Amino acid sequence: MKRRFSTIIGSMALASAALSAPVVAADGPSGADIANDAQTPGDVLSYGMGPWQQRFSSLDKLNTTNVTKLVPVFAASLGGEKQRGQESQPLVYDGMIYVTGSYSRLFAFDARTGEKKWEYNARLPDAIMPCCDVVNRGAAIHGNKVIFATLDAHLVALDRHTGKVIWNKKTGDYQAGYSATAAPLIVGNKVIVGNSGGEFGIVGEVQARDVETGELIWSRPTVEGNMGTLNGKDNGISGKTNATWTGDLYKTGGGATWLGGTYDPGTNMVYFGTGNPGPWNSHLRPGDNLYTASTLGIDADTGVIKWHYQTTPHDGWDFDGVNEFVPFDASINGKPMKLGAKADRNGYFYVLDRTNGKLVSANKFVMQTTWANGINLKTGRPNYVDDNRPGAPGTADKGKVVFASPSFLGGKNWMPMAYSQDTGLFYIPSNDWGMDIWNEPIAYKKGAAFLGAGFTIKPIAEDHIGALRAMDPKTGKIVWEYKNKAPLWGGVLTTHGNLVFTGTPEGFLKAFDAKSGQELWKFQTGSGVVGSPITWEQDGEQYVAVMSGWGGAVPLWGGEVAKTFKEISQGGMLWVFKLPKQ
Ligand SMILES: [Ca+2]
Ligand SMILES: [Ca+2]
């Protein structure tokens, strides 16, 4: 690594915030309301628009016949000098829009006028260590609270009427490299979060806390050998110590759960993806390195791992397996099944039985996967191309350089896909790119990057990097694709109006025909769109909202790819759209 993570942040203006507030009687959505979010199009109560996070709306007032008339209602600025990546998904409840901003900020806007009601700025220390920009992906709402995670590894609950702090809990040690950017997940009376820091030798973990008090209920480490807790007592180690790790390496094994999780009320499991093992240099850690680069099915009540499926055993390319695991129901060979799908950073789209984690199918959704020739459906393991693993370094020099595709930024990175219950298709925001990657010697040091690798990202196609792809989960075939010059880095929304929405770094929010992929509408927002769009019904009309503000990992780590798009202006605007009144 030529660049230190801590230098990315630079200096930050810090605003003060109230530290205490009177206890307010619960008013607002309950755990049951949030579990039912996908069935109530008049609000958006959760990240992903429902516990399954399908990002599908049953609304159809806005549809393929009238989307060309879609116009802005207002744009609300996040203001100040803090711009960078705006990767958030807004929430809508009771005439308000709650949206997080870069640098751990949370805003409340009037959903009809865009008037700002309040703003909360986390008091961040200078030494925070987010690997990949100062982003935040969204908040959770429950009762009188709106809750979000901050870059210094805290979870903060604010009074949704006033923005005053109700509770504020430390979830990790930022000085050891822990941070947090994911939207919290509400399950009943619990708020469940993952952690970030996989580039610093942290240990990945899922934490469930009491939504009223913030007190820890259970914790589940994602690296085997580490002990979980339940109600303050030991609750069994994850896996079996030293089964897939040697020595003490499990104490710095990575596996960060940095994208948060989904929830299936039917199985009462939360599904969390886990990031890369530490360090990146795979020659320093023999074995499969469970449960890194995996999907975990975790009992929502006890924090016990019910099943795991590892997409990249013994990862050597930074193929974090954190991508969202989206439950859906479908018939496979005439048999109705409870399934879940994940478009992995490693370039394969996996369909699993969500009751037991058994692999159903795995198909490529990108142009190229140099590291594996497909996935063995019997063993569930990749058919590795051994020559494509970066070589072992000597004591003082780097190992053999290999060209690997996808790049470590992934066939798909953090940006969430959508699933249409009408078309039965997943809409995957993907990228086609590769990298030169090599290994270097490294030793663990608290609070320092723990990679032992270097890289240069490279394009692999003349005409595009980004590709929005419609994947049929039953056949593994790409039904249509839309190619974009710059890397796609925003989330996707689909609707019963046969529409698919996503944003581009070039600044557009775009709408496509969900069946054909035809581009129907676009609007220039003034900065790159890397947020996730939503839709809801209000006063009898259908609204669409998205954050605009270029940033994220691409401009920081994209090498020659990022240079191509360095002219994109920064920003920080919430855009809201609807059809004109008849
Ligand atoms: Ca709803
Ligand atoms: Ca990583």
Side-chain angles (χ1 to χ4, degrees):
M1 300 292 294
K2 296 198 176 76
R3 201 165 166 190
R4 283 174 45 230
F5 285 106
S6 55
T7 61
I8 296 164
I9 309 310
S11 63
M12 271 172 256
L14 300 173
S16 63
L19 292 174
S20 64
V23 174
V24 179
D27 66 313
S30 66
D33 294 333
I34 293 158
N36 199 39
D37 188 22
Q39 279 71 50
T40 53
D43 55 31
V44 177
L45 299 177
S46 55
Y47 185 75
M49 301 174 59
W52 284 3
Q53 298 183 21
Q54 291 182 341
R55 300 181 181 274
F56 173 77
S57 171
S58 59
L59 296 174
D60 64 359
K61 284 185 178 171
L62 180 64
N63 54 56
T64 49
T65 66
N66 59 19
V67 70
T68 55
K69 301 192 182 99
L70 193 61
V71 289
V73 182
F74 62 80
S77 175
L78 301 196
E81 295 177 347
K82 297 171 180 173
Q83 299 195 334
R84 310 292 295 250
Q86 308 295 353
E87 293 186 354
S88 185
Q89 180 221 291
L91 300 177
V92 181
Y93 179 70
D94 194 20
M96 299 290 289
I97 298 177
Y98 300 98
V99 67
T100 59
S102 55
Y103 296 94
S104 304
R105 294 173 294 163
L106 179 51
F107 298 79
F109 294 105
D110 184 298
R112 293 180 176 82
T113 66
E115 182 191 352
K116 189 169 84 178
K117 294 297 189 182
W118 54 260
E119 169 182 350
Y120 171 81
N121 275 248
R123 193 193 299 268
L124 296 173
D126 285 338
I128 54 170
M129 285 179 269
C131 74
C132 307
D133 203 6
V134 287
V135 297
N136 185 279
R137 296 181 175 111
I141 187 171
H142 183 281
N144 64 330
K145 298 175 200 63
V146 56
I147 304 164
F148 82 127
T150 59
L151 289 164
D152 58 344
H154 278 241
L155 190 64
V156 184
L158 306 173
D159 184 309
R160 67 180 178 83
H161 301 291
T162 64
K164 301 282 188 255
V165 174
I166 295 175
W167 51 257
N168 180 341
K169 297 291 177 185
K170 178 180 168 181
T171 57
D173 175 7
Y174 76 85
Q175 290 175 312
Y178 288 88
S179 58
T181 54
L185 173 69
I186 302 288
V187 176
N189 64 348
K190 298 186 197 71
V191 52
I192 303 182
V193 294
N195 62 6
S196 305
E199 272 58 54
F200 298 94
I202 61 96
V203 173
E205 185 185 30
V206 181
Q207 293 183 358
R209 292 174 175 272
D210 184 317
V211 74
E212 298 300 339
T213 63
E215 292 303 320
L216 188 66
I217 297 171
W218 57 256
S219 68
R220 175 50 54 193
T222 60
V223 179
E224 77 171 1
N226 293 284
M227 179 64 77
T229 68
L230 175 64
N231 298 323
K233 298 192 177 104
D234 285 355
N235 192 31
I237 59 166
S238 300
K240 191 175 167 216
T241 308
N242 288 142
T244 62
W245 293 88
T246 54
D248 282 346
L249 290 173
Y250 68 94
K251 294 176 181 173
T252 53
T257 50
W258 57 266
L259 253 188
T262 57
Y263 173 61
D264 176 30
T267 57
N268 195 37
M269 275 188 254
V270 292
Y271 302 109
F272 273 73
T274 62
N276 61 284
W280 284 20
N281 179 345
S282 62
H283 301 278
L284 297 176
R285 43 171 172 75
D288 279 356
N289 309 135
L290 289 172
Y291 300 103
T292 65
S294 302
T295 299
L296 303 178
I298 301 174
D299 186 291
D301 292 332
T302 63
V304 168
I305 295 173
K306 309 291 276 191
W307 59 256
H308 73 274
Y309 177 77
Q310 190 174 38
T311 43
T312 313
H314 195 221
D315 164 56
W317 305 264
D318 189 37
F319 288 152
D320 290 49
V322 291
N323 300 83
E324 69 283 4
F325 180 77
V326 177
F328 71 109
D329 292 337
S331 289
I332 300 290
N333 300 326
K335 185 182 161 203
M337 291 188 73
K338 293 177 187 295
L339 302 167
K342 178 163 97 164
D344 198 278
R345 192 142 137 176
N346 70 19
Y348 286 92
F349 181 88
Y350 297 84
V351 177
L352 307 181
D353 181 330
R354 71 174 182 270
T355 67
N356 57 22
K358 200 168 174 315
L359 179 64
V360 173
S361 64
N363 291 280
K364 205 160 69 170
F365 66 92
V366 292
M367 279 174 58
Q368 194 178 42
T369 57
T370 60
W371 64 280
N373 288 324
I375 310 299
N376 183 319
L377 292 182
K378 286 214 175 72
T379 63
R381 296 174 71 88
N383 303 316
Y384 278 115
V385 177
D386 290 335
D387 283 349
N388 202 249
R389 183 176 291 274
T395 48
D397 54 330
K398 67 184 186 185
K400 184 185 77 165
V401 181
V402 300
F403 174 79
S405 180
S407 77
F408 79 93
L409 289 172
K412 174 177 167 300
N413 200 285
W414 80 275
M415 54 284 193
M417 61 185 181
Y419 174 73
S420 168
Q421 295 178 8
D422 294 332
T423 64
L425 301 175
F426 279 89
Y427 301 98
I428 307 170
S430 67
N431 289 305
D432 293 316
W433 47 15
M435 63 179 169
D436 286 336
I437 180 169
W438 59 90
N439 287 323
E440 297 165 349
I442 184 80
Y444 175 78
K445 183 166 170 281
K446 184 186 171 184
F450 189 46
L451 271 63
F455 52 79
T456 309
I457 307 274
K458 296 183 162 179
I460 58 171
E462 293 276 315
D463 61 339
H464 76 283
I465 296 169
L468 176 64
R469 291 185 165 117
M471 160 70 83
D472 184 336
K474 291 184 175 185
T475 64
K477 297 275 189 294
I478 305 293
V479 176
W480 58 259
E481 68 179 1
Y482 154 79
K483 291 178 179 174
N484 198 70
K485 186 162 174 276
L488 291 179
W489 210 255
V492 182
L493 164 71
T494 185
T495 76
H496 187 48
N498 192 35
L499 294 171
V500 173
F501 289 89
T502 200
T504 71
E506 290 91 338
F508 291 104
L509 178 64
K510 294 193 170 191
F512 302 87
D513 183 306
K515 291 193 186 112
S516 70
Q518 186 191 351
E519 186 178 317
L520 301 173
W521 173 85
K522 66 178 177 181
F523 181 86
Q524 174 57 246
T525 65
S527 180
V529 176
V530 294
S532 298
I534 57 163
T535 190
W536 74 99
E537 187 170 273
Q538 180 173 289
D539 308 326
E541 296 178 282
Q542 186 176 351
Y543 285 70
V544 173
V546 74
M547 282 302 303
S548 169
W550 173 234
V554 174
L556 295 174
W557 304 112
E560 62 182 89
V561 167
K563 279 181 207 150
T564 318
F565 308 107
K566 69 180 189 305
E567 299 304 325
I568 297 170
S569 296
Q570 291 197 26
M573 297 283 258
L574 169 68
W575 283 93
V576 174
F577 305 87
K578 71 178 179 72
L579 294 174
K581 277 237 161 91
Q582 297 295 320

